[in-house]
Amino acid sequence: MNPTPTIPDGTPPFWRGRFSVAPMLDWTDRHCRYFHRLLSHNALLYTEMVTTGAILHGRGDYLAYNDEEHPLALQLGGSDPQALAQCAEIAEQRGYDEINLNVGCPSDRVQNGRFGACLMAEAELVADCVDAMRGRVRLPVTVKTRIGIDDQDSYDFLCAFIRTVAERGGCDTFIVHARKAWLSGLSPKENREIPPLDYPRVYQLKRDFPALTIAINGGIKTLEQAQQHLQHLDGVMVGREAYQNPGVLAQVDSQLFGVTAPVPDLFAVVEGMYPYIERELSRGAQLGHITRHMLGLFQGLPGARQWRRFLSENAHRPGADVSVVEQALTRVQRP
């Protein structure tokens, strides 16, 4: 397991969530996380949201991951304190580094299961969920939430939610998506784009709750923006930009964690994926399920379009193997 990173001059270690890649359903699977870890050793990675029902009653192994992915947080979806506590205990036994409760997803399917953003209206239940998990595990238990839901979007409402979950549930770390969520009328995609961002509200939250660890999420596209947020907050979570332009992760360790080692070479990162790809193919994986996470790696470089096209056209063909990636890489011009 990777230790919490330390700045080279020996100053106290950063909270490992100083920079994290957001949990994204259908995107941040274990193939994606392995790839991202080659780009940053210190970024905190999150699983896709996994429901308590899937873990306790599903037929598959929804907690599988690669040892190289640490530090790794499991995001849970659910609202039954005891089921969440049981899942947290299983996750601790499996070696996860953190448990995160989803109180931010606005999709209808999630609402129908009584979890996600709709739980902001039930702060005491969220507190009970966190308290139940903390009572069963020694891992950090964190909450990812929004700044409000529907017409419950005042700063007082947000403060009351945070205070209840912190004081009654014992949660000391919140990742706050700086948009409110509309629980009806907007799709999940629209909920990521239409409600306006309100970064100052999250900054104010940190000023009013200085003892809590507060990270921000939503609309962050560059590490320069991340550095600006870190002047006010403890952490930054980046979602779609990290996925669609993963090359940005190569700069995270040097720019945000003070690491003096050379920045990962993007071509070497691809070549570093070859043993993993061969191993996974030998276990029955399909090449396209791995390479789909790598399509945006060379964004802005000559040949990036040819790289994407070659992989998209060939990785899903029967018998596709690592040679497809090798051939795709020849389409990109080295700097």
Side-chain angles (χ1 to χ4, degrees):
M1 184 180 302
N2 292 338
T4 304
T6 305
I7 309 177
D9 64 7
T11 54
F14 286 127
W15 170 52
R16 64 175 144 219
R18 179 176 174 84
F19 181 91
S20 60
V21 178
M24 291 176 281
L25 198 60
D26 297 325
W27 286 11
T28 51
D29 62 19
R30 62 187 181 87
H31 300 317
C32 175
R33 299 190 305 263
Y34 185 95
F35 170 55
H36 284 176
R37 182 56 70 215
L38 294 183
L39 291 158
S40 170
H41 292 296
N42 293 317
L44 176 61
L45 303 181
Y46 281 76
T47 68
E48 306 167 86
M49 181 188 68
V50 185
T51 66
T52 55
I55 294 171
L56 298 177
H57 308 297
R59 295 183 178 180
D61 182 1
Y62 293 91
L63 298 181
Y65 66 90
N66 307 283
D67 287 341
E68 295 86 350
E69 294 173 34
H70 293 291
L72 178 63
L74 169 67
Q75 187 182 67
L76 288 174
S79 58
D80 181 313
Q82 294 312 309
L84 285 164
Q86 187 177 351
C87 289
E89 187 172 31
I90 294 170
E92 183 174 59
Q93 293 168 356
R94 295 289 295 270
Y96 279 88
D97 300 300
E98 176 185 309
I99 306 298
N100 177 263
L101 180 63
N102 185 324
V103 189
C105 182
S107 76
D108 291 340
R109 181 169 63 87
V110 166
Q111 289 182 60
N112 291 338
R114 199 188 177 198
F115 53 93
C118 65
L119 286 177
M120 282 200 79
E122 300 184 74
E124 291 188 358
L125 175 58
V126 175
D128 289 345
C129 290
V130 172
D131 183 62
M133 288 188 282
R134 292 181 68 250
R136 294 278 284 275
V137 301
R138 291 176 294 177
L139 298 179
V141 178
T142 66
V143 169
K144 186 174 188 294
T145 188
R146 294 270 186 151
I147 59 173
I149 51 172
D150 296 336
D151 294 325
Q152 296 174 291
D153 61 353
S154 69
Y155 184 66
D156 287 344
F157 170 78
L158 176 60
C159 286
F161 173 82
I162 296 294
R163 184 178 297 109
T164 299
V165 178
E167 294 179 356
R168 176 169 170 166
C171 183
D172 62 6
T173 301
F174 295 83
I175 301 96
V176 184
H177 188 144
R179 287 184 173 96
K180 77 171 183 179
W182 285 103
L183 299 181
S184 60
L186 294 182
S187 69
K189 180 178 185 297
E190 290 170 331
N191 261 305
R192 293 191 299 267
E193 300 169 352
I194 293 178
L197 287 160
D198 192 345
Y199 296 142
R201 181 171 295 197
V202 186
Y203 297 169
Q204 186 63 48
L205 198 64
K206 177 62 182 179
R207 289 194 291 268
D208 290 339
F209 295 90
L212 297 179
T213 298
I214 306 289
I216 196 167
N217 172 231
I220 302 164
K221 295 185 178 297
T222 68
L223 296 188
E224 290 72 25
Q225 291 172 349
Q227 289 169 330
Q228 292 172 8
H229 289 304
L230 288 170
Q231 295 177 19
H232 305 274
L233 298 161
D234 303 295
V236 172
M237 175 181 279
V238 176
R240 274 152 178 77
E241 186 65 22
Y243 186 88
Q244 295 169 344
N245 182 21
V248 71
L249 298 178
Q251 303 287 336
V252 164
D253 291 355
S254 60
Q255 291 195 27
L256 301 185
F257 288 93
V259 174
T260 56
V263 172
D265 174 76
L266 300 187
F267 291 84
V269 167
V270 173
E271 291 165 351
M273 285 292 293
Y274 293 168
Y276 176 80
I277 290 172
E278 291 175 335
R279 184 182 75 197
E280 290 300 311
L281 293 182
S282 71
R283 295 173 175 175
Q286 297 181 30
L287 180 65
H289 292 168
I290 302 172
T291 58
R292 69 188 182 98
H293 305 299
M294 303 166 62
L295 295 178
L297 180 62
F298 296 107
Q299 191 173 125
L301 292 181
R305 181 178 298 177
Q306 289 82 354
W307 156 265
R308 293 193 302 270
R309 179 182 299 166
F310 192 88
L311 286 180
S312 298
E313 292 176 351
N314 294 281
H316 292 281
R317 293 183 175 178
D321 59 19
V322 71
S323 67
V324 171
V325 187
E326 294 173 331
Q327 294 176 61
L329 191 58
T330 65
R331 269 69 177 172
V332 188
Q333 296 182 28
R334 294 179 181 267

